[in-house]
Amino acid sequence: MPNFLQRRRLLKRQRPHGIRPKNLRLFAVATTVLLCPLYFFHVVRPALFLNGMPADESGKHAVEPADESNKQFVNNNCDNYQRGDGRNIQSGDAFLSASAMSKTHGHVMLQMFNYGYINMTKSWICNVRKFDGILERTLFVATDQAGYDAIQSFDPNLNVALEPYEAPAVMTYGQFQYYAYMLFRSNFIVALLDSNISTWLVESDAVWLEDPTTSVLGMKGDTVTMNDDMWGSETKGNGGFQLLRTTPATKMAWHKLHSEQKNMITTLCNGNKNVNVLKGNEQHMMDRLRKEKKEEFKTGWLTIDHFISGAYYIRGEKPKSPYVILNNWIKGNGAKIDRAKKWGHWFLNDDDTCLSDDLRRARANISKEFVF
């Protein structure tokens, strides 16, 4: 009878050619390591970060089901929005203020808000007050009387104008109100561009650690914006931080965007709720226009070393030289405020006063290597 070693040699000779069990295990592990990131990127990532929008059986992300207030809003406003909101923007206080500020500064920084975002707006004001010229060049356009009164009382020296607009205090991405508001916003922006008023769009859900003026105004392009892609693997513009110069190409792009938004509202008003929200989102529309008109519509891209999307908070990285970090890639006004407070990027006390030594604290929470 063969001994143990002889039996082992015999088995090796009888084993069929091919992948051995040990190599098969290594192959399985390697395949898993390679496929898991791809699965996350193409399947899990959209589910996590498309603002919680539900998908129907076709894979399209439908408009969120309307509650009673949303239905009433649709019924009251569909006719107006299909006509482009039917108002004479050029005669309003907001447009006249923007025109006057543009003549003084060469451009206007535009921030639109309502009372639902009042504390976030106040925090941003506290954040940027130490940067010379920022608040002097910023026009705060309130869409409701309560928001207008609150900002006026918070700081009477601010440039504040009222452009009335009926909407809920807080809107959610994917609701009809969201699309209606974006059309209202585009109406105003197109009117500014057509009147040769260069417009720098800014929003309050961001932290400014350095004055970005030199970087933004010094960048060439019909428009200047920052990359808002989650992983930095693609180039996607941000809608809430961009400079719009009054070039023919910029006007062309925004008129095209405005037309597509009106078509989106028409589709929704006609009762079609099974709409791909990506096709109606301003950022995605503009990214597509950039690709289609890349030879004539030039975009200046701000460096990702200084201008960072809200994906920073998710990835947990520590950039060494950030100027602006957006508080996006998260759903809900309350969630944004909680995150800003957690990271030390909140600048408003509970008694409505500004935090002292706020920039030093905010910078220190980013990176120990940050020089200030």
Side-chain angles (χ1 to χ4, degrees):
M1 179 174 291
N3 59 29
F4 173 77
L5 291 177
Q6 289 174 328
R7 287 199 303 271
R8 185 173 180 181
R9 293 192 194 100
L10 181 62
L11 286 172
K12 285 186 177 180
R13 286 197 299 269
Q14 293 176 347
R15 181 179 294 152
H17 294 291
I19 301 175
R20 297 183 178 183
K22 181 179 180 180
N23 293 336
L24 186 60
R25 289 194 297 271
L26 291 175
F27 176 78
V29 171
T31 302
T32 302
V33 170
L34 289 173
L35 291 181
C36 280
L38 293 175
Y39 179 80
F40 178 83
F41 187 86
H42 292 287
V43 179
V44 179
R45 174 197 175 199
L48 287 175
F49 299 113
L50 189 58
N51 291 305
M53 287 298 298
D56 64 14
E57 293 179 356
S58 66
K60 292 183 178 181
H61 292 269
V63 173
E64 287 187 350
D67 56 21
E68 289 305 315
S69 63
N70 189 25
K71 291 177 182 177
Q72 188 63 42
F73 184 88
V74 174
N75 293 335
N76 291 344
N77 292 280
C78 268
D79 290 339
N80 284 337
Y81 288 113
Q82 289 185 70
R83 293 194 302 267
D85 200 21
R87 69 175 76 197
N88 184 6
I89 293 174
Q90 287 83 352
S91 64
D93 289 341
F95 180 88
L96 296 176
S97 297
S99 179
M101 293 171 66
S102 175
K103 291 177 181 177
T104 301
H105 303 291
H107 67 277
V108 62
M109 298 176 67
L110 178 66
Q111 185 168 143
M112 305 185 80
F113 72 101
N114 65 11
Y115 189 76
Y117 296 85
I118 193 65
N119 286 335
M120 194 173 293
T121 304
K122 291 178 180 179
S123 177
W124 186 84
I125 292 169
C126 292
N127 176 191
V128 304
R129 62 180 179 161
K130 293 183 179 179
F131 300 136
D132 292 339
I134 294 295
L135 292 177
E136 288 78 6
R137 290 180 283 132
T138 301
L139 175 62
F140 295 90
V141 177
T143 59
D144 54 16
Q145 189 68 50
Y148 175 85
D149 293 341
I151 289 298
Q152 282 280 49
S153 62
F154 181 70
D155 187 346
N157 296 317
L158 296 173
N159 302 298
V160 188
L162 178 64
E163 185 71 21
Y165 172 79
E166 178 189 348
V170 178
M171 291 168 283
T172 303
Y173 177 87
Q175 290 180 327
F176 178 88
Q177 298 102 313
Y178 171 85
Y179 293 110
Y181 173 76
M182 296 309 294
L183 177 59
F184 159 78
R185 177 175 177 262
S186 294
N187 288 339
F188 191 76
I189 293 170
V190 167
L192 294 177
L193 294 175
D194 284 346
S195 297
N196 294 315
I197 299 174
S198 292
T199 306
W200 180 355
L201 302 176
V202 295
E203 293 181 349
S204 60
D205 55 343
V207 56
W208 288 27
L209 303 172
E210 291 289 341
D211 185 349
T213 300
T214 300
S215 297
V216 174
L217 299 184
M219 179 66 68
K220 295 180 179 180
D222 299 297
T223 66
V224 177
T225 189
M226 58 185 291
N227 188 7
D228 198 31
D229 183 56
M230 176 67 187
W231 306 106
S233 57
E234 300 179 57
T235 304
K236 296 180 180 179
N238 179 265
F241 190 93
Q242 55 179 327
L243 172 66
L244 311 176
R245 295 191 170 102
T246 57
T247 64
T250 302
K251 294 177 182 179
M252 173 276 298
W254 274 84
H255 274 281
K256 175 72 173 174
L257 171 69
H258 184 243
S259 176
E260 291 189 14
Q261 287 177 318
K262 290 179 69 173
N263 290 338
M264 183 72 173
I265 291 295
T266 300
T267 300
L268 293 174
C269 286
N270 288 339
N272 184 0
K273 300 302 181 183
N274 183 30
V275 179
N276 187 339
V277 298
L278 297 183
K279 292 184 178 180
N281 178 276
E282 172 193 310
Q283 291 175 241
H284 292 274
M285 286 181 176
M286 191 57 70
D287 282 334
R288 178 169 46 79
L289 286 172
R290 287 191 181 98
K291 294 177 181 178
E292 293 175 356
K293 306 291 184 180
K294 62 181 179 180
E295 297 302 323
E296 54 187 300
F297 181 44
K298 303 296 184 182
T299 299
W301 293 98
L302 297 164
T303 173
I304 59 175
D305 294 329
H306 300 320
F307 298 87
I308 303 164
S309 79
Y312 153 81
Y313 295 102
I314 300 171
R315 296 195 304 259
E317 298 173 357
K318 288 190 175 182
K320 294 183 179 180
S321 56
Y323 293 178
V324 174
I325 302 177
L326 303 182
N327 191 359
N328 60 351
W329 286 102
I330 189 172
K331 185 177 180 179
N333 190 26
K336 291 187 176 189
I337 293 175
D338 290 342
R339 184 164 73 176
K341 289 180 177 180
K342 176 182 177 181
W343 286 76
H345 296 166
W346 188 254
F347 303 88
L348 185 69
N349 284 312
D350 292 338
D351 62 359
D352 238 19
T353 60
C354 295
L355 289 167
S356 60
D357 200 24
D358 42 13
L359 280 179
R360 178 175 291 272
R361 174 181 49 84
R363 289 165 173 166
N365 285 339
I366 294 296
S367 172
K368 295 180 180 179
E369 293 83 14
F370 195 91
V371 178
F372 52 88

